[in-house]
Amino acid sequence: MSCKDDVALTVTWSIEGISYLKYANVCSSDFYPHSDVDQKYYLKHGMDTSDINFISFYIYNSKQDTIERDYELSILAPNGSPLISRKVTKCLFNEYKHGFSDFVERSENLENRKDEFLKNDTLTLRCRLWESRMSQKIHFFLQKTRPSIDRMHFLWTLDRFSSLTLQDERVASLRTADEGSSYSK
């Protein structure tokens, strides 16, 4: 099959709160494009250890096979059009990981063009996959990832605050909710 044919599988994945995940690797939920539940896929976005100046983007498959596929990985604009897109044709999925360790340069695109790429602190990625054994039925998957962020607020009354000098030191020990909900002065 070629990329000119109808797309057999499209996964659109929105990652909200991407600024909290700046140096983290994030995985999508699993998706199953065929009736074979043993063959699942998922997407991974983040950093490879090879170069922190680039963002990686991969599609993973759960088991190796020799089916020839074409795939395309993209970063989408808020209107759904691709800002960056990379295609691979006639790829044998005989390995578990396919994609790019250098999908996009971090500073050039994601930081300098933040309004274009990260509208409302959300990064939207898309994977399209073509393969001969997929049915004529077209599969669409929409996924959303939202990080869980622990926030802590505390009020601390400092005695004789107005008489403190730069050399005076006051210490407060805080514990997260996992360690206990109290704090000590």
Side-chain angles (χ1 to χ4, degrees):
M1 297 199 108
S2 82
C3 290
K4 294 176 186 166
D5 297 331
D6 287 335
V7 179
L9 168 73
T10 299
V11 178
T12 303
W13 180 29
S14 296
I15 306 171
E16 295 181 349
I18 194 70
S19 61
Y20 294 104
L21 304 169
K22 189 172 185 176
Y23 295 103
N25 290 313
V26 184
C27 295
S28 72
S29 300
D30 296 338
F31 50 94
Y32 305 84
H34 339 113
S35 58
D36 178 11
V37 294
D38 290 336
Q39 180 73 16
K40 65 183 177 182
Y41 297 86
Y42 68 91
L43 303 175
K44 184 176 180 182
H45 157 76
M47 279 188 356
D48 273 351
T49 55
S50 57
D51 191 346
I52 64 168
N53 295 316
F54 288 91
I55 301 292
S56 61
F57 188 15
Y58 294 102
I59 179 171
Y60 284 77
N61 56 308
S62 63
K63 67 180 186 182
Q64 298 174 339
D65 60 34
T66 56
I67 304 294
E68 193 174 87
R69 298 175 180 88
D70 299 345
Y71 69 91
E72 175 189 74
L73 301 175
S74 306
I75 296 178
L76 301 181
N79 67 4
S81 64
L83 295 168
I84 294 176
S85 188
R86 292 175 76 177
K87 293 180 184 179
V88 175
T89 58
K90 298 184 179 179
C91 175
L92 292 176
F93 269 51
N94 56 0
E95 295 180 15
Y96 295 111
K97 176 170 107 172
H98 301 278
F100 308 93
S101 61
D102 60 347
F103 188 74
V104 61
E105 189 172 356
R106 179 183 304 279
S107 62
E108 179 184 326
N109 293 302
L110 294 184
E111 292 175 5
N112 294 343
R113 295 167 57 193
K114 197 172 190 173
D115 291 340
E116 190 177 0
F117 279 81
L118 304 175
K119 181 89 171 170
N120 297 324
D121 200 24
T122 299
L123 179 65
T124 304
L125 305 170
R126 181 178 69 192
C127 173
R128 300 192 316 166
L129 186 69
W130 299 261
E131 72 177 60
S132 59
R133 75 175 178 167
M134 284 186 178
S135 66
Q136 294 302 322
K137 186 176 179 181
I138 297 173
H139 303 274
F140 290 98
F141 295 91
L142 299 174
Q143 297 192 5
K144 184 181 287 191
T145 299
R146 185 177 301 147
S148 173
I149 302 164
D150 291 334
R151 295 184 181 164
M152 180 187 290
H153 302 277
F154 70 97
L155 179 62
W156 185 14
T157 304
L158 293 173
D159 296 328
R160 298 185 314 258
F161 177 77
S162 60
S163 64
L164 289 176
T165 65
L166 293 175
Q167 290 76 27
D168 291 338
E169 187 175 299
R170 301 289 188 265
V171 177
S173 299
L174 303 175
R175 288 179 233 168
T176 64
D178 294 338
E179 298 172 19
S181 59
S182 63
Y183 72 92
S184 61
K185 290 185 185 179

